[in-house]
Amino acid sequence: MKAPLKILAAAILFPVLTNAQLNKQEDLGRITGNFEGIGQYYTYDPDIGTPRVPEKILFNGFSNINYTRGDFRAGVRYETYQNVLLGFSPLYEGSGLTYRYAGYSVGDLDVTVGNFYEQFGNGQILRAYEERSLGIDNAFDGARMKYNTNGVYLTALIGKQRWYFDKGPGIVRAGDAEVNLNELLGSVLNGPTRITLGGSVVSKYQEDNNINLTLPENTLAYGGRFLLQHKTLSLSGEYTYKFNDPNADNGYIYQTGEMLSVSASYARKGLGINLSAHTLDNMFFRSDRNNSSQFQDLFINYIPALTKQHTYNLMATLYPYATQPNGEMAFQADIVGRLKRGTWYGGKYGTSINVNYSIATAVERTPVEDVDPDLEGQRTGHRYNLFKPGTDENGDIDQYFGDFNIEVTRKLSKKWKTKVTYQHLVYNQEVIEGKPGVPNVVANLGVIEGLYKINSKNAIRTEFQGLFTEQDKGDWATVVIEYTRSPHWFVSVMDQYNYGNSDEEKRLHYPNVNVGYIQGPTRITLGYGRQREGIFCVGGVCRRVPASNGATISVSTTF
């Protein structure tokens, strides 16, 4: 057993054994955890372009085990990839303990050693998190201290980030302070207005071992934020500045990075409005400057996409948007309304309407000479204007993405519920997918969803989806039929059909069948069918998924 594991085992077992000897009736703590495993059997299918899988069966699995007793906590996570599923980084190979931690609280102070996740503000300066469906885990391995008292929240951390079964080369040092003025000032500020202020500093150290360039070994980023709430109104904003950070993502230019994000919302009965925007340039921030992996390795920060997170198959998986950290200006407006029930326009049971619009463009950039005299001879590549959209060679706004959609949900009777959705989409393949010289995809999509409750335990849900475009692979159609028998069973059948492909040999069907069983905290799903090649995204972070054909089984449970 390695030394860190011995220390962790002693930390867990010592308080249990000691208290068991002194007082057998005393609480010995609590153990909780979870398990998840996904295995897939792959069949070679040249029609849809699947790769050959020599192992035939691939498997991803993990289990967390956590122990808590009073103010003490500890835990481990074991992961195994035999071998890793297609679409995930091949560096996920083998098995081992990838996450272990111990922590305790003493009064207002909380300390964690080992692995931990953390986020400052909205994450644009620092966010360590796990998104297993994307294969992302940039947890810190080090130490973290939190001190909270009277509306003041302080955090300090230091550590390296997880890089599959190893750690990245950079050391991250960071601090964050947040002040809730209402809690701090008490009776002085106890009205309906609530104010929160915050600030962060993040520093990365990485040795300069580049033989061609002189690179800064320390990179500093700092930022501030605010949140103002007054009754039904809310306004927030965050600004981040990053000193020059030459890296593989930006072509090793000595350019600073900046990001500004703002959001405003209003809510009252029957109406909700949210407006958000951000603008940024050169905001790739990794703890390894030489890593530019498509798998989102070693990111210190996180920039969410200002687009609606669709759930329908064609909307969510064909042309999703991936945030462009090297520069974008984005805006989103979301309006949710409910029409009064019992009226001719609202119907007997009421009607909900959701209108959403988002757009992302380039920011204005002006190329500069290879050597910028204003920055002591360093290569900056360009100057930027965060408050002006960039243009293309024709002088038009260089649009990366556009999405207008409207959803109307209406309950027709006690048994029937329907939802109709329309989307107009503009998708820049050249920027988002790196396909030079191809035109933007301009598409119209429609979805009709119906839910029929047979009785209190049985229900049938259907979806009819269509995507219509003259670009890329042409028109698509999807049909979904799902039967649920509560509380244990569900069966779903789906077929995607690329009927509008200009190549008649590629006008293929992608059928898929899934059967699931749920018993308490345990869920078992068995599926079989084709999966087309595409991009899978969560919150503006994406990974490419290769085509596949075969059977899949997944098991998840908690205890």
Side-chain angles (χ1 to χ4, degrees):
M1 181 180 291
K2 296 181 179 179
L5 297 183
K6 292 181 179 179
I7 296 173
L8 178 59
I12 295 175
L13 295 176
F14 178 75
V16 176
L17 296 176
T18 301
N19 283 278
Q21 294 168 357
L22 295 178
N23 188 345
K24 292 184 179 180
Q25 295 181 349
E26 187 175 344
D27 180 16
L28 298 182
R30 184 184 180 197
I31 296 177
T32 60
N34 67 310
F35 168 82
E36 181 178 311
I38 303 175
Q40 184 166 354
Y41 176 83
Y42 292 89
T43 301
Y44 179 58
D45 188 343
D47 289 341
I48 62 174
T50 65
R52 293 185 182 274
V53 179
E55 306 95 327
K56 299 296 184 182
I57 297 175
L58 301 177
F59 178 83
N60 292 6
F62 74 94
S63 180
N64 289 295
I65 300 176
N66 302 296
Y67 171 78
T68 58
R69 182 176 184 275
D71 294 327
F72 175 81
R73 64 189 182 277
V76 295
R77 180 168 68 236
Y78 178 84
E79 297 181 19
T80 182
Y81 303 91
Q82 306 288 344
N83 282 329
V84 68
L85 296 174
L86 293 182
F88 293 84
S89 171
L91 294 175
Y92 279 120
E93 183 174 346
S95 305
L97 289 175
T98 59
Y99 192 91
R100 76 279 185 271
Y101 71 94
Y104 60 89
S105 299
V106 179
D108 296 326
L109 177 67
D110 182 89
V111 177
T112 302
V113 293
N115 296 112
F116 55 88
Y117 299 104
E118 187 56 72
Q119 177 171 326
F120 294 168
N122 66 14
Q124 68 186 46
I125 191 170
L126 182 142
R127 185 188 182 192
Y129 72 110
E130 177 192 25
E131 180 54 65
R132 190 157 295 276
S133 61
L134 294 175
I136 294 176
D137 188 348
N138 61 345
F140 287 111
D141 186 2
R144 178 186 63 188
M145 293 175 289
K146 289 178 173 286
Y147 185 80
N148 307 328
T149 181
N150 298 325
V152 178
Y153 303 86
L154 304 176
T155 302
L157 63 87
I158 186 168
K160 291 187 174 184
Q161 290 182 286
R162 177 184 176 182
W163 189 63
Y164 303 104
F165 287 98
D166 203 345
K167 292 187 286 290
I171 302 175
V172 178
R173 297 76 55 97
D176 182 78
E178 185 170 284
V179 180
N180 185 310
L181 294 183
N182 301 80
E183 294 182 29
L184 180 64
L185 300 179
S187 60
V188 178
L189 192 63
N190 60 358
T193 301
R194 303 190 64 81
I195 303 173
T196 303
L197 304 176
S200 306
V201 177
V202 178
S203 172
K204 175 196 73 173
Y205 169 80
Q206 184 179 3
E207 180 184 359
D208 177 14
N209 53 13
N210 191 302
I211 61 175
N212 299 314
L213 299 171
T214 300
L215 301 174
E217 294 188 324
N218 291 279
T219 299
L220 177 69
Y222 63 85
R225 61 185 183 272
F226 74 91
L227 172 62
L228 175 64
Q229 297 170 297
H230 180 78
K231 296 182 179 180
T232 58
L233 293 171
S234 177
L235 177 65
S236 64
E238 185 165 351
Y239 171 77
T240 300
Y241 183 91
K242 179 171 68 76
F243 285 87
N244 68 88
D245 178 26
N247 57 67
D249 292 306
N250 65 16
Y252 292 96
I253 60 173
Y254 294 75
Q255 181 60 274
T256 58
E258 288 185 272
M259 179 172 178
L260 174 65
S261 60
V262 293
S263 178
S265 63
Y266 169 76
R268 65 175 178 83
K269 185 177 180 180
L271 178 65
I273 301 173
N274 183 270
L275 306 175
S276 53
H278 70 219
T279 181
L280 61 102
D281 190 85
N282 196 32
M283 280 303 293
F284 274 107
F285 197 17
R286 302 185 196 244
S287 56
D288 181 6
R289 68 170 73 91
N290 300 312
N291 193 312
S292 60
S293 168
Q294 62 171 314
F295 295 104
Q296 310 294 319
D297 295 344
L298 298 169
F299 269 111
I300 298 173
N301 64 339
Y302 168 80
I303 303 173
L306 291 188
T307 60
K308 181 166 183 171
Q309 303 304 301
H310 294 286
T311 57
Y312 293 117
N313 180 270
L314 292 180
M315 294 180 175
T317 63
L318 272 176
Y319 303 112
Y321 184 63
T323 308
Q324 305 299 304
N326 260 340
E328 74 170 29
M329 179 183 294
F331 170 82
Q332 180 175 212
D334 195 66
I335 302 174
V336 180
R338 183 169 181 83
L339 304 181
K340 187 177 180 180
R341 65 172 62 187
T343 62
W344 65 268
Y345 50 86
K348 181 178 179 180
Y349 299 95
T351 301
S352 297
I353 300 177
N354 182 192
V355 180
N356 178 276
Y357 174 73
S358 61
I359 185 172
T361 73
V363 294
E364 183 181 70
R365 284 183 165 186
T366 304
V368 300
E369 299 294 333
D370 288 343
V371 176
D372 189 343
D374 293 340
L375 291 175
E376 300 178 355
Q378 297 173 342
R379 301 179 307 114
T380 61
H382 64 273
R383 298 184 187 277
Y384 58 84
N385 182 350
L386 290 183
F387 301 102
K388 188 174 181 181
T391 56
D392 57 23
E393 61 274 9
N394 299 319
D396 300 322
I397 292 178
D398 190 4
Q399 183 174 349
Y400 293 164
F401 185 80
D403 179 2
F404 170 79
N405 57 85
I406 180 169
E407 292 181 353
V408 179
T409 304
R410 188 160 186 162
K411 187 175 180 180
L412 302 177
S413 68
K414 291 183 179 181
K415 291 182 176 292
W416 275 103
K417 185 177 181 180
T418 63
K419 180 188 292 186
V420 179
T421 304
Y422 167 76
Q423 179 190 29
H424 178 74
L425 176 75
V426 177
Y427 181 88
N428 190 324
Q429 298 181 88
E430 187 169 5
V431 171
I432 301 171
E433 298 187 29
K435 296 179 178 179
V438 297
N440 290 352
V441 174
V442 180
N444 292 287
L445 297 90
V447 180
I448 299 175
E449 178 184 357
L451 175 64
Y452 178 68
K453 290 186 178 181
I454 302 172
N455 52 43
S456 60
K457 288 189 175 183
N458 298 274
I460 295 178
R461 189 178 67 87
T462 59
E463 294 177 15
F464 300 93
Q465 307 177 31
L467 182 149
F468 312 98
T469 180
E470 297 179 358
Q471 293 81 40
D472 197 30
K473 296 179 175 64
D475 301 335
W476 288 79
T478 295
V479 176
V480 178
I481 301 175
E482 182 179 84
Y483 167 71
T484 302
R485 180 172 175 79
S486 300
H488 300 300
W489 292 94
F490 68 88
V491 179
S492 67
V493 179
M494 181 182 75
D495 183 30
Q496 282 185 314
Y497 180 32
N498 188 196
Y499 70 92
N501 200 308
S502 58
D503 184 347
E504 293 188 7
E505 293 184 357
K506 295 183 179 180
R507 294 177 182 176
L508 302 172
H509 287 269
Y510 294 80
N512 204 294
V513 179
N514 284 276
V515 178
Y517 177 76
I518 302 171
Q519 177 65 54
T522 301
R523 180 186 179 102
I524 302 173
T525 304
L526 179 64
Y528 183 82
R530 279 177 166 178
Q531 175 181 282
R532 62 170 184 77
E533 179 185 13
I535 297 175
F536 176 67
C537 297
V538 177
V541 180
C542 305
R543 68 176 174 92
R544 182 169 291 279
V545 179
S548 65
N549 189 350
T552 303
I553 184 171
S554 66
V555 179
S556 63
T557 188
T558 60
F559 61 89

